[in-house]
Amino acid sequence: MEYIESGFFMNKVSFFDKRLLKKFWQIFSVIGGIVSFVLLFWDIPKKYKINFLAATLVILLVYYVIAWIFAKRQKRVTLKFGESNVDVYFGDIFQSKKDDLKVISFNEYFDTKMDEQTQLISPGTINGKFIEKHKKNIFELDETFEKDVHLNEKMFININKERKIGKKKRYHLGALVKLPDNYLAVAGSKFDKDNKANISMREYIGFLLTFWSEVDRIYNNQSVVIPVFGSGVLRFTDGYAGATSQELLEIIIWTFKISRIKIAYPSRIKIVVFENQSDMYNLYKLKEIERDGL
């Protein structure tokens, strides 16, 4: 199961969405041209002109409403960037295909301890749900991070001796580690001295560009499934505190586009949007990035 079949999950598409209006006016122009051409050769009796006009307006209104409903009910969109395909859909990353690489976002220390006292990892996040699913194998997870050669030789920053809770080895944002069962762990957030996930927008974009480079290194012709990194979790510190989940999704797609990496068929990038947050996203808008960028 990769995306939601139910119609209860709806896109955040306003009735007067500018993309919807633009498409409507294109249709309107075509219909107007056809009607004008027909009327050159066929004169509508005067007593029927009002009825004809009213019927035309009703048909156009019905078309617009139907188009709007379809836009709101859109569950999936595929974007093409050269040879690469990016799918965005509503679903659950843990229900992705077995052979897909599923990316789980950790903090920059790759902490794995989750309890009420430390509060390093929130149980409601994807990271928390992953830890809960693998709580019997935490020792093996920690050992994987300790022994990963690329992580500790290329992505290691320093040892934070002042950190009182959690691990002390700190890594570059965007660093990827291969885990069992086709999972990937990414260093996706910075922690301050109070273990709060804070980041600047420049750091967020830098994280994504490093992440795509790491994906290119590790994906091995498998599809890669990612969440909307930072949605509802990250605190932006440089004037972008109001960044919406939709904007983060658009930035993720934009950085993939400018990274120039190729995830060629049959592999693809799959971005999974929390199914219970569908009203925070507008999939209908994403085609603009494919064509014009942000």
Side-chain angles (χ1 to χ4, degrees):
M1 175 178 169
E2 283 202 342
Y3 60 94
I4 298 300
E5 296 292 347
S6 170
F8 292 108
F9 299 99
M10 306 288 274
N11 274 269
K12 185 182 179 181
V13 183
S14 72
F15 188 73
F16 296 106
D17 184 275
K18 65 179 182 180
R19 288 153 293 276
L20 204 58
L21 286 170
K22 182 179 179 180
K23 186 175 181 181
F24 172 76
W25 285 118
Q26 290 173 343
I27 297 296
F28 180 82
S29 298
V30 171
I31 293 175
I34 293 173
V35 171
S36 297
F37 179 78
V38 170
L39 292 179
L40 288 175
F41 305 96
W42 177 53
D43 187 28
I44 300 176
K46 188 175 182 179
K47 63 179 180 179
Y48 296 126
K49 284 187 177 181
I50 298 298
N51 292 339
F52 180 81
L53 176 62
T56 302
L57 292 176
V58 168
I59 290 171
L60 288 171
L61 178 60
V62 169
Y63 164 80
Y64 187 85
V65 171
I66 291 174
W68 174 64
I69 291 173
F70 269 92
K72 283 186 69 68
R73 291 172 63 90
Q74 187 173 2
K75 305 178 187 75
R76 187 184 192 108
V77 64
T78 296
L79 310 176
K80 295 183 181 295
F81 302 108
E83 298 177 16
S84 304
N85 290 326
V86 176
D87 296 332
V88 185
Y89 58 90
F90 301 130
D92 183 342
I93 194 169
F94 296 109
Q95 295 183 12
S96 301
K97 292 181 178 178
K98 184 178 180 181
D99 294 334
D100 290 350
L101 295 173
K102 298 162 281 289
V103 179
I104 307 298
S105 183
F106 285 70
N107 61 32
E108 59 187 330
Y109 297 96
F110 287 105
D111 282 319
T112 56
K113 188 175 183 180
M114 183 175 67
D115 55 44
E116 293 183 3
Q117 286 72 37
T118 60
Q119 296 185 338
L120 289 175
I121 301 171
S122 173
T125 62
I126 291 177
N127 187 196
K129 292 175 182 178
F130 175 81
I131 294 296
E132 179 63 27
K133 286 176 180 288
H134 295 81
K135 59 185 178 182
K136 294 181 180 179
N137 308 106
I138 295 300
F139 176 80
E140 287 82 357
L141 283 177
D142 289 335
E143 195 173 46
T144 299
F145 295 131
E146 281 293 327
K147 292 184 176 181
D148 189 280
V149 175
H150 176 79
L151 178 68
N152 289 283
E153 290 187 359
K154 304 293 185 181
M155 292 297 177
F156 173 75
I157 299 178
N158 58 27
I159 294 179
N160 185 354
K161 296 180 180 179
E162 297 181 0
R163 196 169 192 241
K164 297 178 181 179
I165 301 173
K167 298 179 182 179
K168 298 185 183 299
K169 281 188 176 182
R170 183 167 163 254
Y171 299 94
H172 284 287
L173 294 180
L176 270 183
V177 180
K178 187 83 178 283
L179 301 178
D181 301 323
N182 282 326
Y183 281 100
L184 299 177
V186 62
S189 60
K190 290 183 66 177
F191 266 26
D192 61 19
K193 63 180 181 179
D194 298 317
N195 287 318
K196 302 297 183 183
N198 294 315
I199 196 172
S200 70
M201 184 56 74
R202 177 174 290 186
E203 288 170 331
Y204 184 73
I205 293 173
F207 145 66
L208 289 169
L209 292 174
T210 301
F211 168 73
W212 293 126
S213 178
E214 287 281 273
V215 167
D216 193 37
R217 172 182 69 85
I218 209 171
Y219 84 100
N220 194 31
N221 293 320
Q222 291 172 270
S223 292
V224 180
V225 189
I226 69 173
V228 180
F229 295 119
S231 176
V233 178
L234 288 181
R235 299 170 182 84
F236 288 93
T237 59
D238 54 352
Y240 291 92
T244 65
S245 297
Q246 174 75 22
E247 288 168 338
L248 296 183
L249 172 59
E250 292 173 11
I251 291 170
I252 291 170
I253 296 170
W254 172 71
T255 54
F256 175 78
K257 180 179 180 179
I258 66 173
S259 71
R260 303 291 185 181
I261 72 169
K262 295 180 180 179
I263 308 294
Y265 181 84
S267 304
R268 56 210 302 130
I269 297 296
K270 303 177 182 180
I271 305 177
V272 184
V273 177
F274 279 129
E275 57 194 39
N276 62 346
Q277 295 180 354
S278 61
D279 61 348
M280 297 168 61
Y281 295 91
N282 183 346
L283 301 191
Y284 187 71
K285 180 183 178 184
L286 298 180
K287 278 290 185 178
E288 288 185 353
I289 303 176
E290 179 185 63
R291 185 178 64 251
D292 304 322
L294 287 182

